[in-house]
Amino acid sequence: MDETKMSYQSIFRPDAFANKVIIVTGGGSGIGRCTAHELAALGAQVVITGRKIEKLEKVSQEIIEDGGLVHFIVCDNREEEQVKNMIAEVIEKFGKLDGLVNNAGGQFPSALENISANGFDAVVRNNLHATFYLMREAYNQWMAKHGGSIVNMTADMWGGMPGMGHSGAARSGVDNLTKTASVEWGKSGVRVNAVAPGWIVSSGMDNYSGDFAKVIIPSLAGNVPLKRMGTESEVSSAICYLLSDAAAFVSGVTLRIDGAASQGTRMYPLTDATNSQSYNGFHRAFIPEIFQKKTEAEEE
């Protein structure tokens, strides 16, 4: 079936975000792309940002083909001035800013003893500093006087993040930053929450190589009590809920989307699971190459 003839199968009503202006950073791929599609399908004027114009153009064209409203801005969230200018451009063009999804980020696998100062700084800057810049500018330039909703992206870091200690440090910081902002900015009617995805089948999986790609990623599902990985749609729907009026009294929360992988202990054995079905409402979703290869190998 031609995917462009289909539409996003969201569980929310079609006009849930009508007349809302929402920024999705890192909207050119992965969870950000999926979230931008769902918000647009629900009536939002979506603004996607990222560093690579080619990705932004492609996703924008997809959303337009599906009948949604989208605008893209090239922005490196690690650069404070670029963030200031991007937020100002959105407000000037659309007259307001109702929501911000701080989705962009990234890291690379490495043992702590092998992480250089520059490598550590780069990951923390990408995930923590950038999130702060975006939150602050959204608040100072618009939300302080008009209210709004912010959803930050963190990760499963409660048991530490062995192999990605730099990211764990940054993501923990985002969790605390979310809590702090929810208290300080409540006076302005600004809600600040976060989502913490576990192991999600997303295009980001194709960024890894070596033993991490060959050994670690194929073993992830077996370490989840539900015995499967999550979908981009399952993260997007949680983000949409936190942005929506249904969550009008929810603030300061970090919602774990990990199939309970962050719970329990290593001493508790996980057995085979049943009755857990993935939710995938994204009509343009695709299987990352690393999982495509696995499927082809199984068929052979």
Side-chain angles (χ1 to χ4, degrees), residues 9-24:
Q9 300 301 302
S10 176
I11 65 170
F12 299 99
R13 71 171 191 261
D15 62 345
F17 291 98
N19 302 315
K20 300 291 186 181
V21 176
I22 303 175
I23 295 172
V24 180

Side-chain angles (χ1 to χ4, degrees), residues 26 28 33 64 112 164 202 213 296:
R33 169 178 173 258
I64 291 170
L112 286 174
M164 291 191 183
S202 176
E296 291 172 357

Side-chain angles (χ1 to χ4, degrees), residues 6 23 26 71 110 113 120 144 151 156 180 208 221 264 279 287 300:
M6 301 169 64
I23 295 172
H71 177 70
S110 177
E113 63 266 27
F120 191 90
V151 179
D156 174 7
T180 299
Y208 299 109
Y279 160 65
I287 301 175
E300 294 176 356

Side-chain angles (χ1 to χ4, degrees), residues 94-168:
F94 298 106
K96 61 176 181 174
L97 175 59
D98 299 293
L100 166 65
V101 180
N102 270 321
N103 165 76
Q107 59 277 311
F108 58 89
S110 177
L112 286 174
E113 63 266 27
N114 297 325
I115 301 176
S116 68
N118 287 339
F120 191 90
D121 289 347
V123 171
V124 173
R125 186 181 175 199
N126 195 21
N127 293 289
L128 180 57
H129 292 191
T131 296
F132 168 66
Y133 298 153
L134 286 151
M135 292 171 62
R136 186 195 64 196
E137 291 307 310
Y139 182 79
N140 286 341
Q141 293 193 41
W142 184 262
M143 292 184 181
K145 293 183 179 180
H146 306 278
S149 179
I150 297 172
V151 179
N152 295 324
M153 181 67 69
T154 180
D156 174 7
M157 41 65 189
W158 287 272
M161 287 186 70
M164 291 191 183
H166 41 17
S167 183

